[in-house]
Amino acid sequence: MALTGFIVIATETMPAGLLHPISAGLHTSEGAAGQLVSAYALGTVIAAVPAILLTQGARRKPLLLIGILGFLVTNTVTALAPDLAVILIARLVAGAFSGLLWGMLAGYARRIVPEELKGRALAIAMAGTPVALAIGTPLGSWIGTTVSWRWSFGAMSILAVVALVLAGVVAPNVTGEPAALRLPLRRVVAIPGVAAILLVVFTWMLAHNIMYTYISSYLASALLGLPVDLALVVFGVAALVGIWLTGVVVDRHLRQMTLVSILAFMLAAVILFLGQHHTVMVVAALAIWGLAFGGAATQLQTAMGRASGESADVANALLTVVFNLAILVAGIGGALVIGRNTTLLPVVMFALAALALVVTAVGRGAAFRRDR
């Protein structure tokens, strides 16, 4: 599951480190290349909820294999595509498979372990996310700048083959959600705490992605000479520490950790704005940002799992839709921001995170309960 998550996130974020090679190779602007992220997110937004609703009762292993196969095909098409239009279509389809996988992985991981280990199991299954940010995206950026951006996506296809084999051999084939426990979509949204968690997901993920997608543009405008791949490594390694810390304490101190993570995230935004022409300060901000954001997916999915109970699969499909809606808006909104003034990216990042902090702080009832 962690390897699958790695492929999904690395595929999604790969263009962030390849904006220049892709735009140069396809003879388009960096803003247009950034829409490869938006197309992927749009596919997820469209497909996630229908995919989960249609497959609620299906066994999990075949769905996992189908999702991985989808990434094998779409990344191969992206690597071989002749123009931007074909790549955008492939990214849209990849996003649809992402919606299927993210909607089921959290419930899949939590279903195969005892109650007292569900948070830790989810942290392990989601570990592919920070590893992708720490290794996948920077490595893809390095491959793209030294060989060709097409090989970056080709590497994801090779990993998909490995994941297919491993999943076929070792993944447990658990059942889907029993029919008697399935709630209509509107009733899942109405579960106390679910809507508040979705609002935090949207604002926090939008804050993150509006900066992350256009990090290369930010670094270029700052005139630091800091390579994009090195910046992404700093962020990603710190994110690994963040996911480790989350895994250790998430089952006991979810609320406190979420609040501290968002506050640290806001601190990183302040440093990115005030210290944008100082390499040491930017590197420190990247490390704080990664540390704060590394466990975000686990924290939010754990909160959603607690709030939604037996409806966790549908609730996490909604979480996936909102997550990727934020990425879609970030791709478009970020392009508008860098078209006017790239230095405003950290300001937008801070303002959106502040809203997420407020919602988290007041959601101490059903959404982000006071820890026992």
Side-chain angles (χ1 to χ4, degrees):
M1 293 179 195
L3 178 57
T4 299
F6 176 93
I7 294 169
V8 172
I9 291 297
T11 297
E12 181 171 22
T13 60
M14 195 75 73
L18 296 170
L19 287 185
H20 181 69
I22 291 175
S23 61
L26 297 176
H27 307 291
T28 187
S29 67
E30 290 191 2
Q35 300 319 301
L36 296 185
V37 177
S38 297
Y40 184 105
L42 179 61
T44 306
V45 168
I46 294 171
V49 171
I52 292 303
L53 290 176
L54 290 172
T55 60
Q56 277 181 285
R59 299 187 73 83
R60 303 290 93 177
K61 183 171 181 175
L63 293 180
L64 177 61
L65 294 173
I66 290 170
I68 298 171
L69 181 61
F71 275 88
L72 169 60
V73 173
T74 54
N75 275 317
T76 301
V77 170
T78 300
L80 301 175
D83 54 45
L84 181 62
V86 174
I87 296 175
L88 287 171
I89 294 171
R91 296 284 294 177
L92 187 73
V93 176
F97 282 108
S98 168
L100 171 66
L101 288 170
W102 281 134
M104 59 164 280
L105 276 177
Y108 194 174
R110 291 169 63 87
R111 198 168 290 150
I112 62 176
V113 297
E115 182 66 33
E116 66 273 12
L117 295 177
K118 289 185 183 298
R120 189 170 301 177
L122 182 58
I124 293 170
M126 294 299 107
T129 297
V131 173
L133 297 174
I135 299 174
T137 308
L139 182 59
S141 176
W142 178 79
I143 293 172
T145 53
T146 57
V147 185
S148 168
W149 63 268
R150 295 181 183 275
W151 278 104
S152 301
F153 292 97
M156 291 298 101
S157 294
I158 294 171
L159 277 181
V161 173
V162 176
L164 269 174
V165 173
L166 290 175
V169 173
V170 305
N173 192 14
V174 300
T175 60
E177 189 175 296
L181 299 177
R182 299 174 202 166
L183 293 177
L185 185 61
R186 65 182 184 279
R187 291 185 60 188
V188 175
V189 176
I191 294 173
V194 168
I197 294 168
L198 292 177
L199 181 56
V200 174
V201 170
F202 181 77
T203 50
W204 196 3
M205 296 309 112
L206 180 55
H208 166 74
N209 284 285
I210 206 164
M211 187 72 194
Y212 190 85
T213 301
Y214 294 99
I215 187 65
S216 61
S217 300
Y218 168 84
L219 293 174
S221 70
L223 302 175
L224 297 175
L226 180 65
V228 176
D229 50 1
L230 178 58
L232 293 176
V233 166
V234 172
F235 171 89
V237 170
L240 288 176
V241 179
I243 191 67
W244 175 76
L245 289 172
T246 297
V248 171
V249 304
V250 69
D251 286 312
R252 292 169 294 159
H253 303 293
L254 171 64
R255 176 177 172 77
Q256 291 98 319
M257 181 150 218
T258 305
L259 290 169
V260 169
S261 295
I262 299 176
L263 282 169
F265 183 92
M266 293 168 64
L267 173 62
V270 171
I271 299 173
L272 285 170
F273 178 71
L274 297 178
Q276 59 191 279
H277 299 300
H278 303 277
T279 302
V280 173
M281 293 184 69
V282 170
V283 170
L286 289 167
I288 296 170
W289 179 11
L291 184 66
F293 191 76
T298 299
Q299 293 162 26
L300 295 171
Q301 287 179 313
T302 299
M304 185 63 82
R306 289 182 180 181
S308 60
E310 294 295 337
S311 298
D313 283 351
V314 175
N316 273 295
L318 289 170
L319 186 150
T320 300
V321 168
V322 173
F323 189 107
N324 283 275
L325 183 61
I327 294 172
L328 173 62
V329 174
I332 298 170
L336 295 175
V337 173
I338 66 171
R340 295 176 64 86
N341 188 347
T342 304
T343 60
L344 293 177
L345 286 173
V347 176
V348 178
M349 176 183 176
F350 178 90
L352 290 165
L355 179 55
L357 180 70
V358 171
V359 177
T360 303
V362 300
R364 55 183 174 273
F368 297 89
R369 300 186 183 97
R370 292 185 182 276
D371 300 295
R372 296 183 297 274

